[in-house]
């Protein structure tokens, strides 16, 4: 049995695997586009720039509602352990999201302890951020996993210290009369490689339990996770995608 993960957790519906099952097949490792050497991307003209390296004014502390406590350095922000998660002041529904992140160049710890952070859509649905370059963990918690639900199709990690890119297309769930009318769907490109294609979320992502089903607001903040590791983020922008529900 794998030395990581859990088998005392519920079986994920539609699969043979427990939540965070260490025995679930590992995503195949590939070399991603450009191996973390990325040219700067200019945000499209209709994007909301959430972080351009200059200030954290679009962000606040989840803990206090006050200023985000993370470090601003060079053209990036860095998690400061124990300051807690940060969230956008704005709330979003359907979006296209671009975010770049880097795990610490100095490799420490293993499995979930190595460069752990996360990008939470609507504050509830985590795309895992983790350094899984030559680092095994339970597949539904590996880099780019929809945490506790879907491993990525492949492991497209670049080496620690290099910049990863997530390009995300998110369709928010719809609730009517307190019931789910249509689920959330996600597509994720990691370092130029499709790792999720129009995947249906089972509900907000959770640790060691099944996805929850409770209705939530039609819009929510983007949250970045403080998991205690000095992970860096830069070049974060979002495009609101409107039109599906009109006419
Ligand atoms: Mg995480």
């Amino acid at each position: 049995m794998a030395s990581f993960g859990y088998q005392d957790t519920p079986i994920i519906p539609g699969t043979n695997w427990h939540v965070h099952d260490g025995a679930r097949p590992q995503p195949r490792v590939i070399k991603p586009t450009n191996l973390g050497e990325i040219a700067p991307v200019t945000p499209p003209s209709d994007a909301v720039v959430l972080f351009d390296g200059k200030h954290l004014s679009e962000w606040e502390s989840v803990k206090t509602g006050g200023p985000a406590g993370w470090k601003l350095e060079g053209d990036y922000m860095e998690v400061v352990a124990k300051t807690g998660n940060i969230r956008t002041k704005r709330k979003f529904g359907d979006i296209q999201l671009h975010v770049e992140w880097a795990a610490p160049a100095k490799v420490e710890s293993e499995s979930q302890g190595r460069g752990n952070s996360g990008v939470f859509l609507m504050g509830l649905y985590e795309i895992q951020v983790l350094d899984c370059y030559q680092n095994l963990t339970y597949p539904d918690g590996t880099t780019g996993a929809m945490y506790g639900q879907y491993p990525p199709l492949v492991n497209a990690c670049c080496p620690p210290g290099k910049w990863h890119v997530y390009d995300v297309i998110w369709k928010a769930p719809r609730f009517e009369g307190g019931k789910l009318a249509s689920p959330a769907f996600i597509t994720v490109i990691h370092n130029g490689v499709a790792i999720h294609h129009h995947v249906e979320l089972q509900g907000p992502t959770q640790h060691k339990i099944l996805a929850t089903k409770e209705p939530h607001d039609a819009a929510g903040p983007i949250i970045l996770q403080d998991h205690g590791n000095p992970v860096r983020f830069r070049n974060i922008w979002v495009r609101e995608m409107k039109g599906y529900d009109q006419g």
Side-chain angles (χ1 to χ4, degrees):
M1 210 205 301
S3 60
F4 44 77
Y6 303 87
Q7 291 191 321
D8 59 351
T9 48
I11 294 283
I12 301 172
T15 79
N16 296 317
W17 309 107
H18 294 266
V19 176
H20 316 319
D21 200 327
R24 192 170 180 168
Q26 288 287 338
R28 182 165 49 94
V29 175
I30 64 160
K31 282 187 184 152
T33 308
N34 297 336
L35 267 176
E37 301 294 343
I38 52 172
V41 176
T42 306
S45 62
D46 63 349
V48 176
V49 176
L50 295 172
F51 181 66
D52 64 0
K54 297 189 179 77
H55 53 79
L56 287 167
S57 64
E58 289 283 342
W59 300 83
E60 63 189 13
S61 161
V62 171
K63 238 189 231 177
T64 67
W70 293 12
K71 195 158 73 178
L72 191 59
E73 244 177 40
D75 61 350
Y76 61 84
M77 60 164 113
E78 185 178 295
V79 175
V80 175
K82 299 210 163 51
T83 59
N85 298 348
I86 65 170
R87 70 181 168 219
T88 55
K89 294 175 183 173
R90 300 180 201 235
K91 295 180 175 178
F92 303 99
D94 299 344
I95 54 168
Q96 174 185 349
L97 172 68
H98 176 93
V99 48
E100 300 174 17
W101 60 271
K106 184 171 174 234
V107 170
E108 287 181 320
S109 190
E110 57 182 13
S111 187
Q112 293 287 302
R114 187 180 298 183
N116 195 334
S117 182
V119 177
F120 288 76
L121 299 158
M122 309 187 88
L124 296 169
Y125 301 85
E126 183 181 13
I127 310 168
Q128 176 69 302
V129 166
L130 193 70
D131 175 14
C132 286
Y133 186 84
Q134 300 173 354
N135 175 39
L136 286 177
T137 189
Y138 46 83
D140 71 22
T142 194
T143 316
M146 293 313 296
Y147 190 75
Q149 297 183 33
Y150 300 103
L153 292 172
V154 291
N155 175 338
C157 282
C158 52
K162 300 285 189 185
W163 287 97
H164 294 247
V165 183
Y166 284 165
D167 283 299
V168 179
I169 299 172
W170 173 253
K171 181 143 193 248
R174 269 54 169 177
F175 297 95
E176 282 169 19
K179 291 227 165 69
L180 184 67
S182 77
F185 289 96
I186 195 162
T187 295
V188 180
I189 312 281
H190 176 203
N191 294 338
V193 174
I195 60 165
H196 297 294
H197 178 218
H198 198 59
V199 164
E200 177 180 326
L201 274 293
Q202 299 182 358
T205 56
Q206 302 292 335
H207 181 56
K208 295 182 71 175
I209 60 171
L210 294 178
T212 48
K213 303 285 182 194
E214 74 277 3
H216 57 75
D217 291 346
I222 294 163
I223 289 181
L224 303 179
Q225 186 182 43
D226 167 12
H227 204 283
N229 302 139
V231 173
R232 295 172 178 177
F233 290 89
R234 72 177 187 188
N235 294 340
I236 307 174
W237 50 262
V238 71
R239 294 181 60 250
E240 294 190 86
M241 298 178 69
K242 291 184 174 158
Y244 291 125
D245 296 338
Q246 292 162 11

